[in-house]
Amino acid sequence: MSPLFRRGTPRIRRVDTFSPTDFFGLDEEARVLASQVREIYTPYRPVRTRDLLFGREAEVVAVVEALNTPGRHAFVCGERGVGKTSLAAVVATLLTDATSLPHTVKRCDPADTFESVLERPLTALGVDVHRIESTVQHTRARNTNVSIGTTGIKKERQLAVGALYRPDGRVGVAEAAEHLKAAAGLLVVDEADAITDPTVLTKVATLIKHLSDLGSPFKVLIVGTPETAAALTTTHPSARHCVKTVTLRPLATDALGHLVRTGGEALGFAFADEVVAGIARASAGHPHFAHLLALTCAEKAVVDGRRDIAPADLIYAMAAATGEVDPGLPAAFIDAVDGDLASPAVDLLKKAAIADGPEFESDTVNPAFVPVRPGVYRFADPRMRPYLRIRFPFG
Ligand SMILES: Nc1ncnc2c1ncn2[C@@H]1O[C@H](COP(=O)(O)OP(=O)(O)OP(=O)(O)O)[C@@H](O)[C@H]1O
Ligand SMILES: [Mg+2]
């Protein structure tokens, strides 16, 4: 029985002619869960183990080398969905396994400050990053004359006055570096592009410079987009010098094919060569799409009780996966064709999506395009290429 049905007794009372697994048609879901296909094809979560990370050998080596070099830190840079978090997770695990260097991952959000980014490693060293305000109580006595009837009463009242002092308690960059200078560890700053305050990244880069100057064994691995790179370049050139930038390009077609085929072998499925090639081509360098298509094909085979995956499964998977992508993609497509599926802009976008590389020539501008140089564009959202390839599989 699948894990879905292991937890406790169903709340609905059994009727003899009914199996509990027939409610809502969940028996197919139970078979899919039991097949483990969702453990191998993971469109919605980063890869964490090196045997599931394909096509990134050179990048892993480059990041590990940088972090193993005294005074050097690293920045993994890439477009959305290209595999940055996966690479950083595998590198961090490899380093911890090989050298016992403890690592911690900070996933950033728009509200992050320098203190919140550094919170975990500093807290581990006994630094309270939250103590940014102090309250001081002053007590003073006051004499009050209160008259009741003809009797005068002299009364003493206590007044407590709270005063807030800021921002002296904030953790400064140099202070943080002093705390971290003897601490061996790795901090992965993931989704650094989500931070909205530009001074936070500047401070992190300055911290890196201080750590390098102090010869600290504490390392920082920043993960972000080209916009993060732009924010980091506003720092002092010598701070930039301490950071090795490793840029992740779209995944090569053979790595995407390898991802599909290796997963199939692990699960006992045989993907036809045309299906492997079709998934790799449609994905246009985006591993999320390769996982999504392979998973949809494999789930269909499980439900049908088959082990072979044929081109018809890929046609089915493309249609099904079109409804599973980030809703921002169909919305951006509809905007780009002005809500009109008969518009000539549809052909313009389809033509751009089937171009071999991310850049293409066009005489016509479109809201989904950004200019690279005169007459040459790329999609503003690089995921638009695979999205259009699966939405219009026949061109
Ligand atoms: N090298 C790889 N081999 C196989 N699958 C990968 C690889 N890199 C990433 N993936 C898969 O691709 C998808 C996106 O990966 P990941 O979340 O690491 O990308 P990201 O660049 O961090 O995305 P985002 O920009 O949204 O943060 C996930 O489904 C992940 O399992
Ligand atoms: Mg990520």
Side-chain angles (χ1 to χ4, degrees), residues 77-133:
C77 178
E79 298 285 358
R80 286 187 64 191
V82 80
K84 304 176 295 294
T85 299
S86 300
L87 182 101
V90 170
V91 164
T93 308
L94 283 175
L95 276 179
T96 299
D97 290 351
T99 63
S100 304
L101 187 76
H103 74 265
T104 178
V105 180
K106 164 64 187 158
R107 284 180 194 85
C108 301
D109 64 52
D112 268 313
T113 59
F114 179 67
E115 289 77 14
S116 64
V117 170
L118 269 295
E119 179 172 355
R120 272 208 238 157
L122 288 179
T123 304
L125 295 168
V127 182
D128 182 356
V129 299
H130 292 297
R131 201 173 54 78
I132 61 165
E133 295 183 350

Side-chain angles (χ1 to χ4, degrees), residues 294-311:
L295 176 64
T296 315
C297 286
E299 287 187 352
K300 175 93 169 67
V302 170
V303 168
D304 293 351
R306 288 180 286 112
R307 292 269 154 203
D308 291 330
I309 293 167

